[in-house]
Amino acid sequence: MFDVELLRTLLAVADTGSFTLAANRVHRTQSTVSQQIRKLEEAAGHRLLRRERAGGVILPTQEGEVLLGYARRIVDISREAETMMRAAEPLETIRLGVPEDFAGHRLTELLSGLARSFPRVRLDVTSGLNIELSRQLAARELDLAIVKRHPESGPCIARWPERLVWVAGRKVKEVAEPVPLAVFPSGCVYRGYAIEMLETAGRRWRIAYASQSLIGIQAAISSGLGISILSQGAILPGHRRLEPAEGFPEPPQSEIALLAKSGRLEVVVEDVASYLEHQMGTGILKGLMSVDGG
């Protein structure tokens, strides 16, 4: 590997044709320039410069010409990198929490847009259950979080209603008793609604499948392992909606809320929160939220 400083010296000698002039350009003594060239020649394994007899001008050898081509590119890139690093502002990290089932191409689109709008922001995304995201917000381990919760259950930056439906596998013609449930772990709004509705109706139920993964829940429903409450946007072709006539009335709505950590927010956190509120409100995630009335 060639030292960039030595390559700069080689360029100075080649451009000026003189060790003395090169020394002035790189702010070194003539003896130091000579030592640097010898060191570079040792590293290259070739003589790089020669003195023209007529006039005593220093010229590159054939091997020196080859190295000079690379040296100019290396020095230019090094100079560009130094300029960029000196001019660059420090990255600011925003810690965003999202529910595990809030992933997919719409969320990717949202975050890609955020990166374009805030190029100096580094986004650290954490996914998890709503109860855990709320705990992390309270502990100021997150700056912002998108959570699913009971409607108007606390202060927030913005909220959007989410329509929920009972879902079974397409091949399930009649739901067995006790009702087999495919649900998220305790603390999930969907799970709470499902159990509460069955209890209110006096129906027996059992947990047939539990997972933190939306994909896992969807697969369990498709296979007929259990039924569940999901948002309309999470229904797959292998699912069918259970109707009130089958004993499954429409569940209450939940809501998607944008929350911030407690205390005073940094300006960049406020800016990112405003961006998320605008993007979600304009419908970029409408299919995922399945909201009524926009």
Side-chain angles (χ1 to χ4, degrees), residues 2-30:
F2 295 112
D3 188 318
V4 176
E5 197 63 37
L6 301 185
L7 294 177
R8 285 196 180 99
T9 300
L10 175 66
L11 289 172
V13 175
D15 290 344
T16 62
S18 164
F19 281 96
T20 302
L21 296 177
N24 293 332
R25 176 175 291 189
V26 297
H27 307 291
R28 298 284 189 274
T29 64
Q30 184 173 334

Side-chain angles (χ1 to χ4, degrees), residues 266-278:
E266 297 84 353
V267 172
V268 67
V269 175
E270 292 181 342
D271 290 343
V272 170
S274 296
Y275 172 87
L276 292 174
E277 179 182 3
H278 172 74

Side-chain angles (χ1 to χ4, degrees), residues 169-172 217-226 238-239:
R170 183 164 292 280
K171 295 181 179 179
V172 175
I217 299 294
Q218 290 171 321
I221 295 170
S222 296
S223 68
L225 187 59
H239 299 165

Side-chain angles (χ1 to χ4, degrees), residues 32-51:
T32 299
V33 169
S34 298
Q35 291 172 7
Q36 288 182 328
I37 295 300
R38 283 197 297 271
K39 188 174 182 179
L40 188 57
E41 288 178 331
E42 290 174 2
H46 295 281
R47 186 180 178 187
L48 302 175
L49 298 172
R50 62 183 176 84
R51 186 181 295 276

Side-chain angles (χ1 to χ4, degrees), residues 196-276:
E196 181 181 350
M197 292 183 70
L198 292 174
E199 291 279 0
T200 301
R203 301 182 65 176
R204 293 183 302 126
W205 56 273
R206 64 182 179 88
I207 302 297
Y209 182 89
S211 173
Q212 293 190 25
S213 167
L214 173 62
I215 294 175
I217 299 294
Q218 290 171 321
I221 295 170
S222 296
S223 68
L225 187 59
I227 69 169
S228 190
I229 289 179
L230 295 178
S231 69
Q232 280 197 145
I235 297 176
L236 300 181
H239 299 165
R240 74 175 182 89
R241 178 176 173 176
L242 291 169
E243 301 295 339
E246 299 175 82
F248 295 95
E250 185 171 322
Q253 284 188 341
S254 64
E255 76 174 15
I256 295 173
L258 176 60
L259 309 180
K261 63 186 177 183
S262 59
R264 185 179 180 83
L265 299 181
E266 297 84 353
V267 172
V268 67
V269 175
E270 292 181 342
D271 290 343
V272 170
S274 296
Y275 172 87
L276 292 174

Side-chain angles (χ1 to χ4, degrees), residues 161-164 231-234 256 285-292:
E162 179 185 47
R163 186 177 180 184
L164 305 180
S231 69
Q232 280 197 145
I256 295 173
L285 298 180
K286 189 171 183 179
L288 185 57
M289 296 190 295
S290 300
V291 297
D292 289 325

Side-chain angles (χ1 to χ4, degrees), residues 91 94 101 123 156 158 167 193 209 224 256 277:
L91 288 173
I94 301 294
D101 66 326
L123 196 65
C156 61
V167 182
Y193 281 160
Y209 182 89
I256 295 173
E277 179 182 3

